[in-house]
Amino acid sequence: MTTTDTTAALAATGPLVCAECGDQDANGYVVTILDTADPKHTRTEVCTDCHAALAA
């Protein structure tokens, strides 16, 4: 998988929404795509604030 594949897969699945707090306008997100062939069903994202809280 290349960065281009990941970027294209992410763009194809729609807007980012934090799975923890629901924020759609965060400054950054941590995104996990398990399968770039099916990103809509294998993508999860959390905003960087929630990611930091979960990591603590």
Side-chain angles (χ1 to χ4, degrees):
M1 172 173 50
T2 67
T3 301
T4 303
D5 293 340
T6 303
T7 302
L10 185 58
T13 60
L16 296 170
V17 179
C18 179
E20 290 293 316
C21 71
D23 192 344
Q24 296 181 26
D25 295 316
N27 289 329
Y29 293 88
V30 176
V31 180
T32 303
I33 299 175
L34 298 177
D35 182 357
T36 57
D38 187 20
K40 187 170 186 168
H41 297 107
T42 63
R43 181 186 93 181
T44 301
E45 61 267 3
V46 293
C47 69
T48 52
D49 290 341
C50 286
H51 181 260
L54 291 168

